[in-house]
Amino acid sequence: MVILESRFHHIKALLARLRLDSSARLVVLVDKDGQQIAVHGELGDLDTTSLASLAAGNVAATGGMARLIGENEFPTLSHEGEKESIHICVIGRVLLLVVFDDRSSLGLVKLRSKQLSHELARVFAEIEKESAAARANSSLPFNGITDEEIDSLFSPA
Amino acid sequence: MTFINYASREINCKIVYYGPGLCGKTTNLQFIYDSTAAQARGKLISLATEADRTLFFDFMPLELGTVRGFKTRFHLYTVPGQVFYEASRKLILKGVDGVVFVADSQEERMDANIESLYNLEENLRTYGYELMKLPYVLQLNKRDLPNVIPTDELTTELQRKGEPVIEAVASTGAGVFDTLKAVAKQVLTELRKA
């Protein structure tokens, strides 16, 4: 997947809007393979890379359970804690993850996430097209990379 | 699937360590984690049983450095090796960019290696991947044990496509970084062809 700078800023703006509208602590967009795409909100010392990987694992596992009982997937997942909670919404090949506390409610987060999901789906349909075009035009940053450049990553500094 | 972000100038790739139960997949990751500077790696997440067997996966992000202004980050995963965790093992392969097969060199684990390798090929196929086309390294682990099969015999039995074969003792770290380097190089070379 290739995310161009303009798309990234658009996504960040959408996440900022969701965070505000849902009074959430943090909003994270994650690829289904576990890669973090964008994040907005009160990060603190939260390890969002691990959060992204675990969210993808979580969705993959519940998706597996869904298929066992004849469903395609569960489009939303919610985990409610004593103080902090997580809501995950599956939008095509990305996951919208909202972390919220008692300043918000699950109902509000669900509603706002659903409202945004249509717009995010459109954005990612565009990203899919751009990614395919970048591959077809050989315009990816690693095209023509030399063996020396690759080796330089593995040489001691 | 490789993820390229032009705004943060990052390239993220996913590497999966596969192999039979107790072959040393988690030990590989643990050694990489212990030997890497804190600023180059994230947390090592282990979803394990109470008996310390991998239940779902281990995960660790590792930053190798910058090429052409892009930070190259590798997300390293292990799968649960035990046969009955088949459903979750398959999930981890989704979106994989490179695979390391960790073989247990001990004589009594030969059948488990063959079964696991067959299982890898089958699970990759369900996602539309072909082992023959994927960056791939065969690691022959536990070379320090007394009852190991000779390297050439193991290679004849387990090598699929002329992939790099690396002897290792993951518990001491021997061969661990050579394995990672061999698979990471192939993943980056694939990006050149993309």
Side-chain angles (χ1 to χ4, degrees):
Chain A
M1 189 191 298
V2 178
I3 302 212
L4 302 174
E5 209 158 342
S6 54
R7 289 281 173 212
F8 183 75
H9 294 306
H10 183 200
I11 290 168
K12 287 276 280 186
L14 292 177
L15 298 191
R17 193 174 85 201
L18 174 62
R19 189 196 163 215
L20 196 69
D21 290 349
S22 61
S23 304
R25 185 185 145 195
L26 184 77
V27 184
V28 192
L29 201 62
V30 180
D31 175 69
K32 263 188 178 171
D33 302 339
Q35 316 264 20
Q36 178 187 303
I37 297 169
V39 59
H40 181 83
E42 296 165 23
L43 276 174
D45 57 359
L46 183 67
D47 177 0
T48 53
T49 306
S50 297
L51 185 67
S53 155
L54 291 169
N58 187 0
V59 169
T62 49
M65 288 197 290
R67 282 185 290 280
L68 287 178
I69 61 164
E71 282 290 323
N72 184 32
E73 68 183 351
F74 295 125
T76 63
L77 302 174
S78 300
H79 304 290
E80 292 185 80
E82 229 173 272
K83 290 180 185 154
E84 305 280 340
S85 300
I86 288 175
H87 176 68
I88 301 173
C89 185
V90 181
I91 309 165
R93 59 159 300 117
V94 295
L95 315 174
L96 177 62
L97 186 150
V98 182
V99 180
F100 61 99
D101 54 25
D102 54 11
R103 287 173 287 179
S104 184
S105 69
L106 179 59
L108 179 66
V109 169
K110 270 186 168 176
L111 174 71
R112 298 299 189 208
S113 298
K114 195 173 175 186
Q115 286 170 339
L116 188 74
S117 65
H118 304 296
E119 197 163 349
L120 278 172
R122 276 195 296 277
V123 171
F124 276 89
E126 290 302 314
I127 287 174
E128 290 281 343
K129 283 186 207 161
E130 286 162 1
S131 301
R135 279 192 295 272
N137 300 334
S138 301
S139 58
L140 295 176
F142 272 30
N143 279 123
I145 192 174
T146 62
D147 286 340
E148 290 71 32
E149 282 176 292
I150 294 175
D151 282 334
S152 71
L153 282 173
F154 303 97
S155 352
Chain B
M1 184 169 63
T2 311
F3 175 67
I4 303 174
N5 187 334
Y6 277 84
S8 55
R9 316 271 311 161
E10 270 183 16
I11 295 184
N12 291 329
C13 307
K14 178 174 179 177
I15 291 174
V16 174
Y17 284 71
Y18 210 93
L22 292 173
C23 67
K25 301 174 288 294
T26 301
T27 312
N28 264 270
L29 247 65
Q30 187 68 54
F31 185 82
I32 294 167
Y33 180 83
D34 291 340
S35 325
T36 312
Q39 63 269 24
R41 48 125 166 107
K43 278 184 191 150
L44 174 61
I45 300 279
S46 280
L47 302 181
T49 65
E50 283 184 8
D52 249 357
R53 301 294 304 272
T54 304
L55 174 65
F56 194 2
F57 59 81
D58 306 300
F59 164 74
M60 156 185 180
L62 178 72
E63 197 175 307
L64 276 187
T66 303
V67 167
R68 300 197 168 182
F70 280 79
K71 274 188 238 164
T72 54
R73 298 181 84 198
F74 284 86
H75 287 191
L76 311 180
Y77 285 83
T78 67
V79 298
Q82 294 176 89
V83 174
F84 53 86
Y85 289 135
E86 168 62 9
S88 42
R89 181 165 45 245
K90 193 166 143 184
L91 295 173
I92 311 301
L93 284 173
K94 198 162 181 282
V96 69
D97 294 302
V99 176
V100 172
F101 186 85
V102 182
D104 189 328
S105 299
Q106 297 176 95
E107 225 173 291
E108 63 269 29
R109 297 300 287 160
M110 196 56 200
D111 288 349
N113 288 327
I114 293 169
E115 192 184 356
S116 179
L117 186 53
Y118 175 76
N119 175 258
L120 166 66
E121 291 191 273
E122 204 173 56
N123 281 339
L124 283 172
R125 236 173 268 135
T126 62
Y127 291 118
Y129 306 128
E130 278 297 332
L131 182 64
M132 304 307 273
K133 294 180 183 163
L134 208 62
Y136 177 64
V137 171
L138 171 63
Q139 182 189 76
L140 308 179
N141 194 24
K142 306 195 182 185
R143 297 307 301 168
D144 58 330
L145 297 183
N147 53 339
V148 295
I149 299 174
T151 309
D152 51 347
E153 267 181 52
L154 267 175
T155 304
T156 307
E157 194 65 51
L158 299 174
Q159 195 183 36
R160 277 291 180 271
K161 53 169 186 174
E163 71 272 15
V165 179
I166 292 163
E167 292 185 55
V169 182
S171 55
T172 65
V176 168
F177 276 99
D178 291 338
T179 304
L180 175 64
K181 185 177 166 179
V183 73
K185 274 186 86 162
Q186 287 181 57
V187 170
L188 295 174
T189 307
E190 275 300 304
L191 286 177
R192 170 166 62 191
K193 294 182 207 157

